[in-house]
Amino acid sequence: RIMTAGAGQGIVPGEAAGAVALTRTPGAQPVRAWLRGWASEPEPAVGNAETERLMGLRTAIKTALEQAELAAGQLQAVSHGLGAEIAGELEWYQTHGAFWRGQPGPEQQRLHIAFGDVGVAALPLQLALIAAEYDYQRRLAPYDFPAPGPVLVCDTPDAPVRGAVCLTPA
């Protein structure tokens, strides 16, 4: 449930939640996406991208991509919450340059633009939205739309840690 009444400057005063079911039981639930790689790394310089090189997110992405056996160029999209503030925009600029220097890179899904600051609900909300997007893209397959591809979800909380999860459609 997203409450947007009275949301000034992109801040959501209510709640945001996404439900993610993790299962190993075949047939228990329809499988929408596979977690192919995930990693987290410390980032002690959170918010200081204007004066320091931030390596936490880059390292987490690199590890998650290696686990998923994917190259950065194979990603269909990247979902992240960076950019609501200038420090986040600078961190994303550094990260983008490390993987897609001189190229546009994959489509960006910027969570804060649609939902504002959702706090700790960001990662489950992003995972749920990607799973819903995979369902939508599958329904378009009979009409010759391209099949869904891998998506990278970046977890970028205020805490000094950064995370990345690679999802592929089931």
Side-chain angles (χ1 to χ4, degrees):
R1 183 169 60 124
I2 307 294
M3 296 177 60
T4 57
Q9 301 172 350
I11 304 300
V12 178
E15 300 172 359
V20 179
L22 301 176
T23 181
R24 288 184 183 213
T25 308
Q29 294 283 331
V31 177
R32 291 171 171 79
W34 297 110
L35 297 174
R36 295 291 187 200
W38 56 88
S40 64
E41 288 292 326
E43 182 52 76
V46 168
N48 294 321
E50 67 278 358
T51 58
E52 297 187 40
R53 281 280 200 220
L54 305 183
M55 298 301 293
L57 184 57
R58 277 190 257 184
T59 305
I61 290 172
K62 182 177 182 285
T63 303
L65 287 172
E66 286 172 355
Q67 288 177 4
E69 298 179 348
L70 293 169
Q74 293 175 283
L75 295 171
Q76 173 183 312
V78 175
S79 178
H80 65 83
L82 293 169
E85 298 174 357
I86 191 68
E89 193 67 47
L90 291 171
E91 184 173 358
W92 179 248
Y93 176 78
Q94 287 184 13
T95 303
H96 184 275
F99 292 98
W100 302 283
R101 184 173 310 280
Q103 302 171 23
E107 170 192 335
Q108 290 184 57
Q109 299 172 354
R110 295 177 161 221
L111 187 67
H112 69 278
I113 291 174
F115 296 104
D117 183 2
V118 294
V120 297
L123 182 59
L125 181 60
Q126 287 172 292
L127 295 174
L129 289 171
I130 298 303
E133 179 67 17
Y134 282 160
D135 277 351
Y136 177 73
Q137 289 178 352
R138 269 191 215 93
R139 283 182 283 170
L140 295 177
Y143 305 104
D144 294 327
F145 280 81
V151 175
L152 179 72
V153 177
C154 299
D155 188 28
T156 56
D158 292 335
V161 68
R162 293 292 184 249
V165 176
C166 285
L167 295 175
T168 56

